[in-house]
């Protein structure tokens, strides 16, 4: 199978794969943005218990969490044009990337909404009551009191979701998008050096996920710095503080265990 | 190409036959992954000298790279290693005799192992240290304490994560089509391209996966209720 192993190919493939990194990151960034917006829209009816919308949101989340992303990709790519044809919208000229971003956006949106819901409920109810007591409206209480705290709690899960999304983009090649995995497969079949390309590919993914993880860890520390105030032994406190909300995170469950 | 709702049912029936393959892949990778996970988690918790950095590297590498990459690496890399060794030692065994699904089993087990090790580790760490000290104080050996006291509690603590992992592997098994294993997803592709009805076939596949996921969630909820019986709190 293929040519004999040659380590030097790994290094020569790295720059070639990096040229398609922008496509991968574009998919991640756009779907993340879409996912956060969708997530908010989906989470609000559940948080405020809006009658019919709440059920719809639950079905939406259940569907997107209950089916593999690969199936969703195919479903949207082949299904959406046909459904839209019924209302006379022509989608034959739409670039594939649009379908890919749409699917990942909707998929991530479902997980995002669970994350948002869990972290908002994790904020002590007394906080909202205190905000009302000082005369804030519910909108003010949400944006000024609840949201900043929820953000800090949500970051670890958010970081998991971003990394999962990054790795899910490796499936976009099935629809013919030339992102990193697609590029790696073409490189592999052109040169017959499959393992070397995939090792290079794995290395790039590894470095990116590592970077994202570290960046979001910094963000987490910044967002939760209000919890560490007035503590002379910062390091010790930060350990304690972690324990105080980690158990909430463990109960949240929107993590994508193993996920494709 | 027109939408044909009745074909969803036809496709549904045809795809049903591929469910066992998907379940095999899921069950094998989850079970093998669980065993790997326990070993790796124990190595990390007890900080076993040489093995510790290897375990950490394994978990970081697997969790930092997509599952598809693992599958492709194993699919193209393993035959190279096996054939190389076979030539060296004069074995009659060659990589061609490994069935396609074998690659899926091996690669997904390795993937699941890394994720499972984190599940097991967090579960073990969730058990109060005092529990194992109490077990030691009444004369249990460490393996006994682990098996009788710590593991049952850790299992209860990590059940939600475990269920997430199983669902993740179920969804991940759709990747097996890249090494031409006919699972639910591949069967849907076959049905779709032979009848030229893509939307209907994938919808049917989605419904099947949805159902399976729902089933796993329900079963976990039942087990969780059962396994947390000890944890009622107050005066039993």
């Amino acid at each position: 199978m293929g040519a004999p192993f040659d380590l030097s190919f790994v290094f020569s493939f790295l720059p070639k794969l990096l040229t398609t990194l922008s496509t991968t990151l574009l998919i991640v960034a756009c779907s993340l943005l879409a996912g956060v917006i969708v997530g908010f829209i989906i989470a609000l009816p559940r948080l405020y218990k809006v009658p019919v919308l709440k059920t719809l949101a639950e079905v939406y989340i259940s569907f997107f969490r209950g089916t593999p992303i690969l199936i969703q990709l195919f479903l949207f790519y082949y299904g959406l044009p046909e459904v839209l044809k019924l209302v006379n919208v022509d989608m034959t000229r739409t670039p594939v990337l649009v379908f890919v971003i749409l699917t990942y956006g909707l998929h991530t949106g479902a997980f995002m909404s669970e994350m948002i819901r869990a972290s908002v409920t994790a904020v002590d109810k007394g906080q909202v009551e205190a905000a009302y007591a000082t005369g804030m409206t519910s909108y003010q209480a949400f944006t000024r009191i609840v949201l900043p705290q929820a953000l800090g709690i949500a970051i670890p899960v958010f970081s998991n979701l971003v990394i999962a999304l990054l790795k899910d983009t490796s499936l976009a090649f099935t629809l013919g998008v030339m992102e990193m995995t697609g590029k790696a497969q073409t490189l592999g079949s052109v040169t017959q050096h499959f393992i070397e390309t995939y090792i290079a590919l794995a290395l790039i993914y590894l470095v990116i996920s590592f970077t994202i993880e570290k960046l979001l860890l910094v963000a987490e520390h910044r967002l939760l710095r209000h919890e560490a105030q007035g503590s002379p032994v910062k390091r010790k406190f930060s350990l304690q503080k972690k324990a105080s909300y980690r158990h909430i995170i463990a109960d949240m469950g929107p993590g994508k265990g193993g996920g494709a | 190409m027109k939408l044909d709702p009745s074909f969803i049912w036809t496709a549904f029936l045809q795809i049903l036959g591929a469910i066992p393959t998907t379940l095999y892949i899921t069950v094998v990778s989850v079970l093998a992954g669980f065993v790997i996970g326990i070993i790796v988690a124990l190595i990390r918790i007890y900080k076993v000298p040489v093995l510790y950095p290897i375990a950490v590297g394994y978990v970081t590498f697997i969790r930092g790279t997509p599952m598809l990459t693992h599958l492709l690496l194993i699919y193209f890399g393993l035959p190279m290693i096996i054939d190389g060794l076979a030539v060296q030692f004069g074995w009659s065994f060659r990589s061609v005799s490994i069935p396609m699904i074998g690659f899926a089993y091996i690669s997904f087990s390795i993937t699941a192992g890394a994720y499972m090790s984190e599940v097991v580790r967090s579960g073990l760490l969730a058990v109060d240290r005092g529990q194992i000290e109490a077990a030691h104080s009444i004369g249990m050996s460490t393996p006994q304490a682990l098996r009788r006291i710590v593991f049952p509690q850790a299992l209860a603590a990590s059940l939600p994560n475990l269920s997430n992992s199983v669902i993740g592997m179920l969804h991940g098994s759709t990747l097996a089509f890249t090494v031409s294993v006919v699972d639910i997803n591949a069967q849907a592709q076959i049905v779709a391209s032979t009848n030229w009805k893509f939307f209907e076939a994938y919808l049917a596949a989605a419904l099947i996966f949805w159902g399976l996921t729902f089933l796993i969630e329900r079963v976990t909820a039942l087990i969780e209720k059962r396994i947390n019986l000890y944890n009622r709190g107050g005066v039993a």
Side-chain angles (χ1 to χ4, degrees):
Chain A
M1 205 176 292
F5 185 77
D6 185 351
L7 192 67
S8 64
F9 272 94
V10 175
F11 298 106
S12 67
F13 284 146
L14 277 175
K16 285 178 188 158
L17 288 176
L18 280 174
T19 55
T20 49
L21 179 63
S22 56
T23 318
T24 296
L25 291 183
L26 178 76
I27 301 175
V28 173
C30 291
S31 6
L32 210 57
L33 193 68
V36 170
I37 296 169
V38 172
F40 249 109
I41 298 172
I42 300 296
L44 287 179
R46 293 191 76 187
L47 281 171
Y48 289 102
K49 301 203 169 58
V50 185
V52 185
L53 291 177
K54 180 171 156 275
T55 323
L56 283 179
E58 274 163 12
V59 173
Y60 174 90
I61 292 169
S62 157
F63 177 78
F64 278 95
R65 289 178 21 128
T67 55
I69 176 85
L70 189 61
I71 298 271
Q72 289 166 18
L73 268 178
F74 288 137
L75 205 55
F76 278 92
Y77 182 61
Y78 292 110
L80 206 59
E82 289 191 45
V83 172
L84 286 181
K85 219 186 277 171
L86 298 177
V87 287
N88 287 322
V89 181
D90 185 28
M91 287 199 84
T92 39
R93 305 189 76 100
T94 318
V96 189
L97 205 58
V98 173
F99 289 102
V100 170
I101 291 174
L102 185 74
T103 317
Y104 284 121
L106 291 176
H107 178 84
T108 318
F111 286 89
M112 285 286 175
S113 84
E114 285 288 89
M115 172 194 90
I116 293 167
R117 198 172 63 94
S119 39
V120 168
T121 29
V123 176
D124 192 3
K125 186 128 181 65
Q127 301 268 342
V128 188
E129 282 161 5
Y132 286 153
T134 58
M136 285 190 190
T137 64
S138 64
Y139 174 77
Q140 279 175 329
F142 187 78
T143 50
R144 295 192 196 168
I145 309 291
V146 179
L147 201 60
Q149 296 185 59
L151 269 182
I153 299 172
I155 287 278
V157 184
F158 182 73
S159 145
N160 278 348
L161 288 181
V162 177
I163 290 169
L165 179 63
L166 168 77
K167 291 186 289 173
D168 280 344
T169 57
S170 67
L171 296 177
F173 86 95
T174 48
L175 299 185
V177 175
M178 258 304 174
E179 41 69 68
M180 278 200 299
T181 307
K183 179 79 177 172
Q185 290 198 317
T186 12
L187 272 181
S189 33
V190 166
T191 58
Q192 287 298 304
H193 283 275
F194 287 101
I195 330 237
E196 292 89 336
T197 43
Y198 294 132
I199 290 177
L201 181 67
L203 285 177
I204 297 177
Y205 276 117
L206 192 63
V207 170
I208 304 171
S209 12
F210 200 71
T211 317
I212 294 177
E213 210 180 309
K214 286 284 160 280
L215 281 179
L216 286 170
L217 208 63
V218 174
E220 187 186 334
H221 282 305
R222 261 195 76 76
L223 281 167
L224 286 174
R225 69 186 184 283
H226 63 91
E227 294 220 19
Q229 255 166 23
S231 162
V233 211
K234 238 183 180 163
R235 178 150 172 72
K236 228 177 183 171
F237 192 87
S238 81
L239 281 175
Q240 273 176 6
K241 171 204 77 189
K242 262 211 156 73
S244 75
Y245 70 91
R246 281 287 171 184
H247 74 277
I248 305 168
I249 306 296
D251 291 338
M252 289 171 45
K256 299 184 67 182
Chain B
M1 208 150 57
K2 256 196 86 55
L3 218 58
D4 180 3
S6 66
F7 187 73
I8 298 174
W9 179 243
T10 322
F12 189 83
L13 293 178
Q14 291 189 43
I15 296 171
L16 276 183
I19 289 183
T21 315
T22 293
L23 290 184
Y24 282 144
I25 299 177
T26 311
V27 169
V28 168
S29 53
V30 165
L31 287 183
F34 198 53
V35 175
I36 300 175
I38 290 178
I39 298 171
V40 172
L42 286 179
I43 290 174
R44 289 188 67 180
I45 285 178
Y46 283 103
K47 297 211 164 60
V48 181
V50 184
L51 295 175
Y52 178 74
I54 298 176
V56 173
Y58 161 72
V59 173
T60 317
F61 179 80
I62 296 294
R63 300 206 330 148
T65 52
M67 206 167 154
L68 182 63
T69 325
H70 313 153
L71 182 62
L72 293 171
L73 269 176
I74 290 289
Y75 181 62
F76 288 106
L78 199 61
M80 221 176 233
I81 297 171
I82 289 180
D83 291 345
L85 288 176
V87 169
Q88 197 112 46
F89 296 104
W91 299 338
S92 56
F93 185 78
R94 283 291 188 279
S95 61
V96 277
S97 51
I98 303 176
M100 288 298 180
I101 200 165
F103 290 107
Y105 285 157
I106 296 172
S107 131
F108 292 163
S109 300
I110 292 174
T111 311
Y115 286 93
M116 284 291 179
S117 85
E118 289 290 279
V119 172
V120 174
R121 203 165 66 97
S122 73
L124 288 177
L125 291 177
V127 178
D128 191 7
R129 235 206 110 65
Q131 297 274 340
I132 202 167
E133 281 163 5
H136 282 158
S137 78
I138 57 164
M140 283 192 191
S141 65
T142 305
Q144 272 178 335
L146 280 180
R147 204 176 61 240
R148 297 192 192 163
I149 309 292
V150 178
F151 280 151
Q153 295 185 58
L155 193 64
S158 55
L159 205 63
N161 282 331
L162 211 56
S163 139
N164 267 349
S165 271
V166 175
I167 292 173
M169 288 319 290
L170 175 76
H171 291 179
S173 69
T174 48
L175 297 180
F177 86 100
T178 45
V179 292
S180 33
V181 173
V182 183
D183 70 319
I184 294 177
N185 178 49
Q187 181 66 31
Q189 281 189 316
I190 293 168
V191 173
S193 44
T194 46
N195 297 286
W196 209 249
K197 285 181 175 133
F198 290 92
F199 180 57
E200 293 85 345
Y202 291 123
L203 196 60
L207 288 177
I208 291 177
F209 271 111
W210 201 359
L212 287 175
T213 309
F214 185 76
L215 221 68
I216 296 178
E217 276 175 356
R218 285 293 129 225
V219 171
T220 329
L222 277 182
I223 300 177
E224 203 175 338
K225 229 175 174 175
R226 175 91 190 71
I227 216 166
N228 277 318
L229 269 184
Y230 76 89
N231 212 358
R232 269 176 302 201
V235 272

